[in-house]
Amino acid sequence: MTTPDNPAADWTGLAAPGLDDLERMARGAVADLPQPWREAATHVALRVVDFPPDDVLEAMDIADPYELTGLYEGTPLPEKSVMDQPMGPDVIWLFRRPILDEWIDRGDVALADLVGHVMVHELAHHFGWSDDEIAAIDRWWE
């Protein structure tokens, strides 16, 4: 902690936010959504891992794993049909290390706000939100 006598921060015993920390932040962003989105968003599975899997990077033609902070895996609600065979749950993936890297590079935003922004972006894929709908929920989108 900084004091007037010691302006340098004491980082002893501190560690980078872990997977559980980012998951809590993402779930907090869902809890802050307006209804009816809040309840519906709880039905999307959430996975937080350090990096995107290699096969995902290959499929998306991404060479640098730090370029992908999140991913929606599933069929967007507007495209679903009662005739569809269940394919498993829709999943939002958050990638901790790329999110932390972007947070450090920005240096001007709280980590929970960045995680919330990524989460809302991925939920937009799930719900099929327009840019205007996203902007109504996530002020960063404006």
Side-chain angles (χ1 to χ4, degrees):
M1 172 174 269
T2 61
T3 66
D5 296 329
N6 181 11
D10 179 7
W11 295 95
T12 305
L14 296 179
L19 299 172
D20 291 342
D21 297 316
L22 266 67
E23 181 175 342
R24 274 191 296 281
M25 292 176 206
R27 293 196 187 284
V30 169
D32 289 342
L33 291 173
Q35 288 294 6
W37 310 116
R38 183 182 321 133
E39 172 62 28
T42 64
H43 299 287
V44 179
L46 175 61
R47 303 287 181 260
V48 183
V49 296
D50 277 320
F51 285 105
D54 290 338
D55 61 324
V56 168
L57 295 171
E58 283 181 33
M60 297 180 77
D61 198 27
I62 297 175
D64 182 356
Y66 284 94
E67 290 181 19
L68 188 61
T69 56
L71 178 69
Y72 169 69
E73 185 177 67
T75 303
L77 286 180
E79 297 174 18
K80 289 189 180 194
S81 165
V82 295
M83 302 302 289
D84 290 341
Q85 292 294 317
M87 300 297 290
D90 292 335
V91 179
I92 289 178
W93 293 88
L94 298 182
F95 305 117
R96 184 183 77 94
R97 295 286 303 277
I99 289 172
L100 292 177
D101 194 59
E102 181 176 337
W103 175 59
I104 291 165
D105 284 348
R106 284 179 176 271
D108 64 350
V109 63
L111 181 57
D113 291 342
L114 179 58
V115 171
H117 173 70
V118 174
M119 189 69 184
V120 167
H121 178 87
E122 299 311 327
L123 284 168
H125 292 295
H126 174 69
F127 290 120
W129 290 336
S130 69
D131 286 352
D132 289 339
E133 289 170 313
I134 299 169
I137 293 169
D138 183 4
R139 303 324 268 168
W140 279 21
W141 199 259
E142 297 175 330

